[in-house]
Amino acid sequence: MLPNGKHLRSTLTGALTLSLALLSASTLAADKVYRLKLAETWGPNTPILGDATKNMAQLAEEMSNGRLKIRVDSANKHKAPLGIFDMVKSGQYDLGHSSSYYWKGKVPNTLYFSSMPFGMMATEQYAWFYRGGGMELMEKVYGPHNLLSFPGGNSDIQMGGWFKKEINSLDDLKGLKIRIPGFAGEVMARVGAKPTNIAPGELYTSLERGTIDALEWVGPAFDLRMGFQKIAPYYYTAWHEPGSETQFLVNKKTWEKLPSDLQSILETAFRVTAFDMYTQSIDANANSWKTMSSDYPDIKVRDFPPEVLDAMKAATSQLLKEEADKDPLAKEIIASQKQYLSKVRAWTDISSKAYLDAN
Amino acid sequence: MLPNGKHLRSTLTGALTLSLALLSASTLAADKVYRLKLAETWGPNTPILGDATKNMAQLAEEMSNGRLKIRVDSANKHKAPLGIFDMVKSGQYDLGHSSSYYWKGKVPNTLYFSSMPFGMMATEQYAWFYRGGGMELMEKVYGPHNLLSFPGGNSDIQMGGWFKKEINSLDDLKGLKIRIPGFAGEVMARVGAKPTNIAPGELYTSLERGTIDALEWVGPAFDLRMGFQKIAPYYYTAWHEPGSETQFLVNKKTWEKLPSDLQSILETAFRVTAFDMYTQSIDANANSWKTMSSDYPDIKVRDFPPEVLDAMKAATSQLLKEEADKDPLAKEIIASQKQYLSKVRAWTDISSKAYLDAN
């Protein structure tokens, strides 16, 4: 390891008997240590999500030779898992790691930068973010709030959830009590289900006792330890979050104080961490699904029937139209995503889909 | 911009009237500029592939604040597009950008680190490289040659190629003259076709005049400008390169001379550039396919019929068995890929495939 700023100063002092007072701040600007604080939505040692913040901090420190030191505070420390937006905006924290759709109640247009029902898969969405105008639209939404937002890692396709009974028609959804929060919950309500939100710690018991009939959680990597497969054997395939992206948030004033090489290091650390979290999620889902499907051979993987999918698609389109009619920026984002999805999916269909169908 | 090493020295000299002779090399080690030379297989200004090397060099220079300066030489300069392995091994170049399967004739086990027929798609293969033991196996192959190899960017799924006539049975492949080099060509030969290699500049004329009946090239982003769609309307879907990964090569002695922060910067620049090239390839394929399919509405996208796919799969398995029987390391790599593919594809099938089928 090369010496960090602190060590370099003392080496100089010793070797050259040179008074540090003579060295103006500017001549040693390249060695100044920036100590940043990051608040994450997740609890301590959360797999995958918590790995992303630790990996990012370590990589930034290594590449900057110790000039960037990032302290990560988990939810048990800052006590505000859904306060990340406000704490980074105000400067209480320099950085945050969370997910954009959590801020919909505060800034409605943040909804569009995590994952949308019947929307883009992770690879398609990365292409939209980095090559299709997504980053610029995210800047339009976050900029006015003194924030920068970057993709923060993808949790891979989320499954449609665990159901106690098979869904064979739209009628089977009528009155169905399902834990599904956010925009996807609004879609479910439009097709007749009764969406609800329940604290994670009470989910298993609620499902077991029939307080709810179904729930969506994440995918095999997160679902396995929750044990839902023991009490709700129908595992439905994806529709509502085909590529859930987390986010790194940065306080703009903090960002502007960083020298350009450290900005480049931080942005690159975000970007490579995001891709790596996606890779880790694929690997973890593959491993957990292997365990789950061999330890619980009675799990029944099901696709929603076409009439249910069609109704959920129609409800999604209607809800998006209502949002677009309310706000010009919402309209612009929705149009950009729709247009990009149409173009990229045509390619996905003759490439990945054709390949998977033939194998 | 912070001063690079050269500028910092003169600032110190001026400000402190301090003789540079007093400053030992070690105290200013953190400011030393490392000038590296990279040879790429590609010609100058090759889209996507050539963007990857330029982007990587720029990112490494920015993050290192000018301490890493990488000169990129294209094939017109070094005159040895397929000499990258040797030039980096010998130290004539510090770095290279190429593709692993080009070295099969020299080091047979390099074959497995680009893309294999009926193998992993890009996202599955990245999970194998970074989480499933792929990097360690690549090190076993390249280490003895004084080389490090890193994933260098994915060109996305490659199409099966352009055919003048529709393939309806295995008989239609018998004697078919097709440009398809490498391992995939060996597979084609096993099922009765006559694979051949032809220089890129002569491909169009050869196809037009019937010297060949079919060819594989890359995908829409590279195929569009070649114009094959004008003379061979059947565009077959993927089988032989489901996720072609390029590579960054590094001379080990060069690597060992770099301070650890610059090693971290370089490795991260490789890694993020690889992911970005994949994203760029998806975007470019989506755009080119949109143009191609609207400007040439007579293109007929076809899947090979099951009997053809089954025969090509059997031939691939047989060829891999022959390689495994020849060499223990080949056997280890083939087993690792087969095992990982089986696990990850089970997850891909209930996630991405199910989602694409329902949309």
Side-chain angles (χ1 to χ4, degrees), chain B residues 236-249:
Chain B
Y236 274 86
T237 57
W239 69 277
H240 71 306
E241 294 195 27
S244 305
E245 191 67 31
T246 60
Q247 72 179 164
F248 285 109
L249 283 173

Side-chain angles (χ1 to χ4, degrees), chain B residues 66-320:
Chain B
R67 292 161 56 217
L68 273 174
K69 290 203 184 291
I70 298 168
R71 189 186 89 194
V72 176
D73 285 355
S74 303
N76 62 322
K77 172 94 178 185
H78 57 66
K79 312 284 187 201
L82 297 178
I84 310 292
F85 183 103
D86 287 334
M87 293 192 294
V88 180
K89 179 179 178 172
S90 72
Q92 184 182 344
Y93 278 88
D94 304 293
L95 307 171
H97 193 241
S98 191
S99 199
S100 191
Y101 55 14
Y102 293 147
W103 324 125
K104 181 180 186 298
K106 188 183 302 287
V107 182
N109 289 333
T110 55
L111 171 67
Y112 307 103
F113 303 97
S114 297
S115 188
M116 295 302 290
F118 303 107
M120 294 176 270
M121 300 192 302
T123 49
E124 297 169 333
Q125 190 166 274
Y126 279 131
W128 175 71
F129 270 124
Y130 295 121
R131 302 273 168 180
M135 290 301 288
E136 294 77 4
L137 289 167
M138 191 152 64
E139 159 68 21
K140 279 194 189 181
V141 172
Y142 281 91
H145 298 278
N146 190 38
L147 289 167
L148 298 171
S149 174
F150 300 87
N154 203 287
S155 66
D156 201 3
I157 296 199
Q158 297 207 2
M159 293 293 284
W162 298 94
F163 289 66
K164 294 182 103 163
K165 290 189 184 152
E166 195 166 2
I167 303 299
N168 292 309
S169 70
L170 206 45
D171 274 348
D172 290 340
L173 278 185
K174 303 287 181 211
L176 185 99
K177 290 166 285 175
I178 177 171
R179 179 271 176 191
I180 182 167
F183 187 80
E186 294 179 48
V187 175
M188 269 288 177
R190 290 274 172 115
V191 298
K194 298 223 170 302
T196 172
N197 205 351
I198 287 172
E202 293 162 28
L203 278 174
Y204 187 92
T205 309
S206 301
L207 187 61
E208 191 176 31
R209 295 189 183 161
T211 312
I212 51 175
D213 308 305
L215 58 82
E216 66 84 44
W217 192 236
V218 186
F222 284 89
D223 293 5
L224 178 56
R225 77 200 75 188
M226 299 292 277
F228 305 133
Q229 67 277 6
K230 298 175 202 164
I231 47 175
Y234 295 97
Y235 202 16
Y236 274 86
T237 57
W239 69 277
H240 71 306
E241 294 195 27
S244 305
E245 191 67 31
T246 60
Q247 72 179 164
F248 285 109
L249 283 173
V250 187
N251 178 285
K252 264 202 201 178
K253 293 206 177 65
T254 297
W255 182 257
E256 284 156 11
K257 278 180 209 155
L258 293 176
S260 64
D261 60 335
L262 295 189
Q263 286 178 345
S264 179
I265 282 175
L266 201 56
E267 188 172 349
T268 305
F270 292 158
R271 195 153 169 162
V272 80
T273 299
F275 284 125
D276 279 348
M277 186 181 126
Y278 178 41
T279 299
Q280 183 182 5
S281 297
I282 293 169
D283 181 68
N285 276 326
N287 287 327
S288 294
W289 176 240
K290 187 181 176 184
T291 301
M292 200 186 255
S293 56
S294 72
D295 290 358
Y296 301 92
D298 294 337
I299 295 173
K300 293 165 183 64
V301 175
R302 292 286 184 274
D303 303 320
F304 288 108
E307 97 170 358
V308 170
L309 288 167
D310 289 346
M312 295 196 293
K313 281 178 203 172
T316 300
S317 295
Q318 185 56 38
L319 280 163
L320 288 177

